[in-house]
Amino acid sequence: MTAPGTRPELGRPELTRVAGLPAAYCPLPSERTAELLDRHAGLSGALEELRPRVEDVLYTLVPLLDGARDLRRAVLAARRAAHRCAPPGWDEPTAARIAGYADEEACGALGRWQELTAAAQAVAEELDKEVARDRAAAEDTLAAALEDPAFAHSLALATPDWVRYGRARGSRKRQRALRTLYSYTVRAAAKTSPFARLTTVGVPGGAHDGRAVQQVSATVAFTALYALARSPRTAHLLRYRPAPVRPAAPAAEASDDPALLMLHPEYVATGGVTWRLDQVVEAGPAADWARALAAACTPDEGVSADREGAWPDGEGAWVDGEGARAGGDAASVRGEGTPVPGDGMPAGGGTTPEHVDDTLAHGDAVRTLGGSDPFRRFLRMLDSGVLAPVPPWRRGEDALDALLALTRHLPDAEPPGAAQAPAAGHTVDGTDAADGLAVVGRLRALAAERERLAEPVRPGAEAPRRRAGAVARVRELGREWARTAGWDRFEPAEVWYEDAATGLRLPPVVADERTAEDLRRLGAAIRPRLFRSHLYDTLVRRFVAAYGSGGSCDDVLGFAMRCGAESDRDPELEQAVQLDLAAREDPGERAWLPVGPSSAPPTAAVLFQQLRGGPGAAADGGPRLVVNQFNPGTGGLLTRFKELLGGDFAEALRGHVRRCWPHAAHHRELVLWTECSTAQAQSCGLLPPLTLPGELGAADALPLDATRLVHDPRQDTLTLLAPDGLPLAAAYTGLVPTHLFPKFARFLAVLSDPWINGSPLSDHRMPFQLPRDPEQVRAQGRETLDGAGAVVTRRASWTVPVDRLPLPSPDAGCGAEGVAAMDAFRRAHGMPREMFAYLLPANGGGFGPDHDRKPLWIRLDSAVSLEVLAHWITPGTGHLRLVEALPAHDGHPLRDADGDRRAAEHAALLHWADTGEEEG
């Protein structure tokens, strides 16, 4: 078998990320500081070279001065000073007297020492003044960044407390505030990670107007949804979905008492990211409840007719809009004092057609649960994940607007004479419950805060402060609702989602033939390291074991749940992960293994930066572009910007996604966590969805339960089929990497895109490997494609043990002495002055929230930078990875309308036509 062609096709569209601030806002030391550090280094070298000779001379003089004790003491003090490369401390008469005891060569060495130490002392004094001037200039530069309205506006989202209180007086608080401002300023000026207007985006070759896409975070709306579900006053507004239950083995389906699995959701929010951890667990007794509730999902037409327009009155009966009794039992509600709605109140909770088959109304749920206190039992079902409220919004709809519409008929305060409602944390029949009317009132307050959050960017400090206040208040709402839902691990930091387009006309990138050829050469080099994952092999083996060679599965969700069932250990899965790690070094034939027609051939997204001078920069042998990192090339990196960048961008991206699955007859998107993660929800809508349990519905949605999975015994591959029996591509177009998916969903993602990019030809490589001798500083030189200088595939870097860095104490400031010490360290290891720092965990293991941070731009000759770096390092950090800044702050080719340089990063999509065998 010979390998197919390795040169890729370049996809469309492209994307450029543009730094929100000019690169000049990175606070830089003066040229005078660099000159003084050069002189300091030269003098220090000369002193170190001369010191052994001076120490020998002074050692020889000591016994000669027994009769001149004052001179002997002066020489002994000079010996101690020589160890520190300090001046001897003699006045001229003392020096002249000592010279009388030394020969001419020794006198020359002592005289030279005095000259050098005096010069070094003068340089140190001047450096101390210059470092102080640099500090003042850095503070002025950082303060000037706040005058940029877009930056200040975005800072209110990123760090609202700092915007409100960060300019406090007092030395320690002032320095802490300065460090925070430094971190965000250099992120906006030197890094290109989209967040509000800290980084904006655009299409190369296009002009953009700086517009933004904004909305209240889906996370906050989702916490409100759960708070409404926990109140007897508002639970009836919603519909509910029972947890999926499946047999633990396909053969057990016919058993009278099969072992059962249940899909259990758990919501987690940390570091501004929200996700749903769907765990496949043994159902146990919960299976009976889930199955009974699932059976109740088929509406009872008689009851539905009786209850049309009716509402539970909290006393065991239903009332209509006029207060008359209606059919049915409402013992389920048990919410004393539940208000009777007025005319026009919607019945049963905002149902939509896609909810009818697998969801049920609150009344049906509690009637099914029964018991002496059905509402208490209902809350237990929510807490255990047996039931989950269904969001009353579809994909692409604003969640807050949907909740406001759902609750518009309810008061947000008690009407006169109404019974007292239980407050949040109080009980209903002994059960913790929310006060639904309080939630409604806060939802309306949230709508008012939305107006402040959406205020247009304006100059001045008041608008960012108002926005920061709104962010803080909405965060508190989200935290309150999450605690009401019982989510102790849930800290909703993101409350307002915002992506912004650049206001610049961006030059074309891939349209330049030289850049396009660089990318094709890069693609040809990485293609042999793009290989089929061993997880795909595991998936195939488990399918064949369950359904036989050439078998067919009509319950794809059940199969995925069985593959992803939680257990103490999954040796087969662990081995697959280890084999994938090993295969990165040499995939061999795995790079050319076949996949089914519903799986994508290999793809890659290349994130890269150009260097000043553009395509012609390599004319003198210098680098032309730098490869930052690789991502899957199926479009997920770009999809969240489809609304922001317009219909042409979306259509080009849609065409690219379809080309990535050339053998599929149907193309659908498979995106997780759309109900609780705004970025994931923003990534929806490019294609009709294939939905999993818990995901937002859509009019054209196809549930996973409607698909079929089949095995091809000839190629030993799997194919997902649509209801018409034709191959169906389930394109993951979300932002969150699939390796963070729950196990059962990860198998579905692997089925769709089974490729791993093991190429070392990018600067970002995971996992980071610590040096064999972790106590030493390890340097790694710059690497380029094919040994030529045009395409840099790895920047020069240094892995440094934290305790080897001459950093100031976090509790002490950094002065000229600290700057000089770091400069000496830098020179000893051949480091540039301008770098990016990455944190590496002490144990060399996985990355947690403290270490999975964006890199920090630093200057090793800046006292402010060194202080920020000292505070940035966490207690669990073992090493820093220091990487050359390439391009440097003045090396970016893009200029804004004022002529200032802007950092920019480009994303290009590569895909390969096929993976089948060729005759050779």
Side-chain angles (χ1 to χ4, degrees):
M1 180 172 69
T2 61
T6 58
R7 283 174 67 85
E9 297 179 23
L10 299 182
R12 289 288 190 273
E14 309 153 47
L15 185 79
T16 294
R17 300 170 165 181
V18 182
L21 287 174
Y25 278 102
C26 292
L28 303 168
S30 68
E31 293 183 5
R32 176 64 175 158
T33 299
E35 294 172 3
L36 290 170
L37 286 171
D38 287 343
R39 289 178 57 191
H40 185 279
L43 289 167
S44 297
L47 286 168
E48 282 295 333
E49 183 178 357
L50 184 58
R51 183 166 61 88
R53 174 59 184 144
V54 170
E55 288 178 333
D56 287 344
V57 168
L58 296 173
Y59 181 80
T60 304
L61 284 173
V62 171
L64 302 179
L65 299 173
D66 286 344
R69 292 195 174 186
D70 59 333
L71 295 183
R72 189 173 186 272
R73 285 195 295 270
V75 169
L76 288 172
R79 283 187 64 193
R80 291 191 293 272
H83 282 295
R84 307 190 309 273
C85 289
W90 301 333
D91 56 22
E92 289 187 12
T94 301
R97 291 174 62 197
I98 290 174
Y101 290 88
D103 57 27
E104 183 177 353
E105 192 274 336
C107 286
L110 292 176
R112 178 63 176 158
W113 183 260
Q114 286 182 285
E115 292 174 3
L116 289 174
T117 53
Q121 192 171 49
V123 167
E125 292 172 356
E126 184 62 30
L127 182 62
D128 193 58
K129 297 175 184 176
E130 198 63 33
V131 166
R133 284 191 283 267
D134 285 344
R135 179 184 295 279
E139 293 184 11
D140 289 344
T141 298
L142 296 173
L146 288 173
E147 300 303 316
D148 183 292
F151 176 66
H153 201 68
S154 300
L155 212 58
L157 297 183
T159 176
D161 290 342
W162 187 91
V163 172
R164 299 170 79 193
Y165 312 117
R167 304 183 197 188
R169 301 299 177 186
S171 178
R172 290 176 65 86
K173 290 183 178 179
R174 184 167 173 270
Q175 290 306 310
R176 188 183 306 124
L178 183 69
R179 291 192 297 267
T180 299
L181 180 56
Y182 174 99
S183 299
Y184 282 102
T185 301
V186 300
R187 172 181 170 179
K191 276 299 295 175
T192 53
S193 177
F195 177 87
R197 289 175 172 85
L198 297 182
T199 293
T200 58
V201 298
V203 179
H208 303 279
D209 58 5
R211 68 181 293 266
V213 167
Q214 303 172 310
Q215 70 176 79
V216 171
S217 163
T219 301
V220 174
F222 196 70
T223 60
L225 176 75
Y226 261 83
L228 290 171
R230 293 189 64 85
S231 170
R233 294 171 175 254
T234 50
H236 56 275
L237 297 174
L238 305 170
R239 294 189 69 87
Y240 299 86
R241 177 180 287 109
V245 173
R246 295 292 190 275
E253 294 180 8
S255 170
D256 292 334
D257 187 23
L260 297 173
L261 301 173
M262 186 177 79
L263 195 60
H264 179 271
E266 180 182 1
Y267 290 92
V268 178
T270 56
V273 179
T274 304
W275 62 93
R276 184 185 68 244
L277 295 179
D278 287 311
Q279 294 185 319
V280 182
V281 297
E282 292 183 7
D288 294 333
W289 292 113
R291 286 188 154 184
L293 290 164
C297 286
T298 302
D300 183 329
E301 296 299 332
V303 173
S304 296
D306 288 341
R307 295 181 183 175
E308 185 67 30
W311 212 258
D313 71 351
E315 297 179 354
W318 291 82
V319 296
D320 61 20
E322 301 297 328
R325 296 275 169 165
D329 174 47
S332 56
V333 196
R334 299 288 183 186
E336 303 301 327
T338 301
V340 177
D343 290 333
M345 183 77 75
T351 66
T352 52
E354 66 269 21
H355 292 160
V356 192
D357 295 332
D358 61 349
T359 70
L360 69 165
H362 175 262
D364 293 328
V366 291
R367 188 175 67 254
T368 301
L369 294 172
S372 61
D373 192 349
F375 191 79
R376 181 179 183 181
R377 185 170 284 172
F378 167 78
L379 291 180
R380 289 175 62 190
M381 295 297 107
L382 287 181
D383 291 338
S384 61
V386 174
L387 269 179
V390 177
W393 60 90
R394 292 183 178 185
R395 296 185 178 218
E397 293 181 345
D398 186 280
L400 177 57
D401 285 344
L403 291 176
L404 290 171
L406 189 72
T407 59
R408 67 183 181 274
H409 296 85
L410 295 179
D412 57 8
E414 285 297 321
Q420 182 63 37
H426 291 194
T427 62
V428 175
D429 289 353
T431 304
D432 288 342
D435 179 357
L437 296 188
V439 176
V440 171
R442 287 172 173 82
L443 277 171
R444 291 165 186 167
L446 175 57
E449 298 291 1
R450 177 169 62 181
E451 301 303 315
R452 284 179 276 274
L453 289 166
E455 284 184 354
V457 175
R458 295 190 183 97
E462 286 310 309
R465 286 199 187 101
R466 283 196 301 272
R467 197 179 212 216
V471 170
R473 289 188 291 272
V474 177
R475 277 187 180 176
E476 187 55 39
L477 281 178
R479 190 176 295 113
E480 173 190 326
W481 288 333
R483 295 299 172 267
T484 299
W487 298 340
D488 295 334
R489 297 171 57 192
F490 204 88
E491 287 295 332
E494 184 207 47
V495 301
W496 181 252
Y497 181 88
E498 184 173 308
D499 278 326
T502 180
L504 305 179
R505 172 172 283 280
L506 300 175
V509 179
V510 176
D512 172 72
E513 186 51 40
R514 180 176 264 185
T515 301
E517 181 57 25
D518 284 341
L519 291 171
R520 290 189 191 99
R521 289 194 305 115
L522 177 68
I526 69 175
R527 176 60 190 92
R529 302 294 283 271
L530 270 164
F531 62 93
R532 200 180 80 179
S533 169
H534 288 83
L535 288 174
Y536 185 88
D537 299 357
T538 300
L539 192 65
V540 173
R541 280 196 299 271
R542 291 183 176 183
F543 186 91
V544 171
Y547 300 100
S549 179
S552 174
C553 168
D554 293 326
D555 181 13
V556 181
L557 176 62
F559 171 64
M561 287 175 61
R562 287 186 285 273
C563 287
E566 296 297 324
S567 58
D568 292 337
R569 287 198 62 201
D570 188 336
E572 189 178 20
L573 184 62
E574 293 169 6
Q575 183 184 31
V577 172
Q578 292 303 314
L579 289 172
D580 281 343
L581 288 173
R584 289 173 176 268
E585 298 299 320
D586 182 16
E589 293 300 316
R590 290 204 67 82
W592 318 108
L593 291 177
V595 294
S598 64
S599 301
T603 65
V606 182
L607 279 76
F608 64 97
Q609 290 180 274
Q610 293 180 316
L611 276 74
R612 183 176 174 179
D620 60 355
R624 187 160 54 233
L625 61 85
V626 185
V627 183
N628 285 348
Q629 69 180 77
F630 300 127
N631 281 75
T634 50
L637 185 68
L638 313 183
T639 316
R640 72 186 257 207
F641 305 116
K642 66 185 184 309
E643 179 184 353
L644 178 68
L645 297 178
D648 291 344
F649 179 85
E651 188 57 38
L653 185 56
R654 191 174 295 113
H656 170 78
V657 173
R658 287 172 174 152
R659 283 190 294 275
C660 288
W661 280 268
H663 305 299
H666 303 282
H667 297 82
R668 288 183 171 267
E669 63 185 23
L670 176 68
V671 184
L672 272 62
W673 312 328
T674 53
E675 82 286 18
C676 62
S677 168
T678 323
Q680 292 288 92
Q682 284 285 334
S683 299
C684 290
L686 191 72
L687 299 169
L690 178 70
T691 54
L692 299 182
E695 299 302 332
L696 294 180
D700 55 354
L702 177 71
L704 183 66
D705 284 342
T707 65
R708 189 159 54 95
L709 193 61
V710 298
H711 178 248
D712 178 357
R714 184 180 65 86
Q715 290 195 320
D716 200 24
T717 59
L718 296 176
T719 300
L720 187 66
L721 301 180
D724 63 2
L726 297 177
L728 184 152
Y732 175 62
T733 58
L735 185 67
V736 178
T738 56
H739 71 267
L740 298 177
F741 281 11
K743 274 173 44 175
F744 93 99
R746 190 175 178 188
F747 277 115
L748 296 174
V750 166
L751 174 65
S752 175
D753 184 10
W755 303 97
I756 290 177
N757 190 338
S759 171
L761 300 178
S762 77
D763 194 64
H764 184 83
R765 305 179 189 178
M766 291 291 288
F768 286 122
Q769 305 238 337
L770 295 180
R772 292 181 180 177
D773 186 353
E775 301 304 315
Q776 300 301 315
V777 177
R778 179 195 177 198
Q780 182 156 351
R782 183 187 295 178
E783 297 174 9
T784 58
L785 183 64
D786 301 330
V791 179
V792 176
T793 57
R794 190 177 181 98
R795 296 170 174 88
S797 65
W798 291 260
T799 304
V800 185
V802 168
D803 57 10
R804 292 287 305 276
L805 281 168
L807 285 172
S809 165
D811 297 326
C814 181
E817 187 175 344
V819 171
M822 181 58 79
D823 186 67
F825 180 85
R826 174 188 76 77
R827 293 171 188 268
H829 295 286
M831 299 176 181
R833 289 186 170 94
E834 184 177 341
M835 308 191 83
F836 283 96
Y838 296 79
L839 301 181
L840 303 183
N843 59 9
F847 282 63
D850 288 340
H851 298 98
D852 191 17
R853 294 184 180 180
K854 302 191 183 304
L856 178 71
W857 180 92
I858 57 172
R859 284 282 298 218
L860 295 182
D861 54 354
S862 162
V864 173
S865 268
L866 297 180
E867 289 173 4
V868 172
L869 180 61
H871 279 266
W872 189 64
I873 295 171
T874 68
T877 301
H879 292 73
L880 289 187
R881 182 173 177 251
L882 300 178
V883 182
E884 66 170 329
L886 182 73
H889 71 280
D890 58 353
H892 299 283
L894 180 65
R895 290 184 183 270
D896 60 24
D898 296 324
D900 295 322
R901 296 194 181 277
R902 296 267 183 160
E905 183 182 45
H906 312 286
L909 301 171
L910 312 180
H911 61 98
W912 287 262
D914 213 333
T915 60
E917 297 184 6
E918 293 183 357
E919 297 297 331

